[in-house]
Amino acid sequence: MWQLTSDIVLISDPRVAAIPVRDNGEELADVRGRLRVDERMADRVGAYAHLRSGLLARLERAERRLPDGFHLLVVEGYRPIDTQRRIFEEYRDGLRAAFPEMSPDEACIAASRYVSPVEVAPHTAGAAVDLTLTAPDGTEYDMGTQVNDNPEESDGACYMDATNISADARAHRKILADALEPVGLVNYPTEWWHWSFGDRYWALAEGRPYAHYGPHRFA
C-alpha cells in the first residue's frame, strides 16, 4: 500500500515551487572523461551525461573525498523537459491505476516521491545527479536497492534512511553522503541516489533565498 511520510519534505511541496530562480547562466558540461559514467540511462545525444559546470566541479571534489577503493558512478544527470514530463505522468497514472482510492492531488504527491513534477524538476536544470558507488573494477557496491527502484517495488528501501536494508548498504550510503554533503549537495530523502545542488529543492533545504539553476535546454 502506498503511504506518505510526514517528516519528509517532498519536491511537490508548495514551498519548493515558491523559491525564486536566479539562473547564473552556467552551461552544461560533459561528465564523461571527468568521472565514471554508466550508460543504463543513455540517450541518443548524450544529454544524460551532462550537468551544470558548478555541480560537476563539486562532484569532482566529492570523488577525491571517497575512501580508497570507492568511486562515484554517474547514472543520469540532465533530463530533457519532455522526458521529465512523460516519466512523471506515466508514474502518476500508474499509481492511480494501482490505487484507485487516490485522488488526483494525492497521486501527484505520491508520484513526487520518485519523480519530480516538471515545473520544479532539478534534472531539467542540470542541477541533479543520480549516482552510486563502484569499486575500481567497476563492480557496484550494495546500496540496498538498485538506482531508480521506486518505493512500491523496493518496499520503501529506496528511502535514504530506510531500515529494511543490510548493514553493508547502510554503511555504503553513509560513505556516499559523507563525500557529497561537505561539497554542498543535498539528498532527496526518498531516493538515496538522487543528489542536487543549486535547484529549488536545494535552496529550500539549505535555507537559501533563491535557486541558482532553472530549467535548461540541451543544445
Side-chain angles (χ1 to χ4, degrees):
M1 179 61 183
W2 73 280
Q3 61 180 11
L4 302 180
T5 305
S6 59
D7 59 343
I8 290 177
V9 177
L10 295 176
I11 203 163
S12 58
D13 191 298
R15 289 174 293 177
V16 177
I19 297 287
V21 176
R22 298 182 187 176
D23 199 296
N24 66 11
E26 280 182 10
E27 293 300 323
L28 294 169
D30 198 331
V31 182
R32 293 168 294 189
R34 296 175 64 175
L35 293 172
R36 295 180 178 216
V37 179
D38 183 86
E39 295 186 350
R40 76 191 76 173
M41 299 301 293
D43 58 287
R44 182 178 56 82
V45 297
Y48 81 105
H50 286 74
L51 295 167
R52 293 290 186 119
S53 58
L55 172 54
L56 178 52
R58 288 170 185 271
L59 289 177
E60 290 178 312
R61 288 162 50 195
E63 170 78 11
R64 295 192 291 270
R65 295 182 59 87
L66 289 169
D68 289 344
F70 288 82
H71 296 281
L72 298 177
L73 180 66
V74 173
V75 175
E76 187 177 19
Y78 176 78
R79 187 182 294 157
I81 293 171
D82 290 345
T83 301
Q84 182 74 31
R85 180 178 292 108
R86 174 182 55 79
I87 294 171
F88 180 83
E89 291 177 351
E90 287 177 355
Y91 184 54
R92 177 202 61 196
D93 294 347
L95 286 172
R96 291 207 71 194
F99 305 106
E101 71 276 13
M102 275 187 179
S103 69
D105 285 346
E106 286 175 331
C108 287
I109 294 169
S112 74
R113 298 168 304 160
Y114 177 66
V115 59
S116 174
V118 69
E119 295 82 9
V120 291
H123 278 290
T124 66
V129 60
D130 295 338
L131 77 178
T132 187
L133 292 173
T134 183
D137 66 359
T139 302
E140 292 180 35
Y141 285 101
D142 175 15
M143 304 296 288
T145 76
Q146 296 297 309
V147 173
N148 289 333
D149 279 355
N150 66 44
E152 288 71 45
E153 62 196 6
S154 72
D155 193 26
C158 60
Y159 282 42
M160 184 64 167
D161 293 333
T163 57
N164 56 336
I165 60 175
S166 70
D168 281 349
R170 282 195 294 273
H172 296 153
R173 291 185 185 187
K174 185 176 187 304
I175 288 172
L176 186 64
D178 285 348
L180 296 173
E181 288 174 350
V183 300
L185 275 68
V186 299
N187 172 245
Y188 190 47
T190 61
E191 300 176 337
W192 61 261
W193 58 84
H194 178 107
W195 294 78
S196 68
F197 172 81
D199 61 300
R200 283 168 159 160
Y201 193 86
W202 166 87
L204 181 66
E206 294 290 287
R208 304 299 181 94
Y210 57 87
H212 298 312
Y213 304 136
H216 197 81
R217 290 287 179 183
F218 185 74

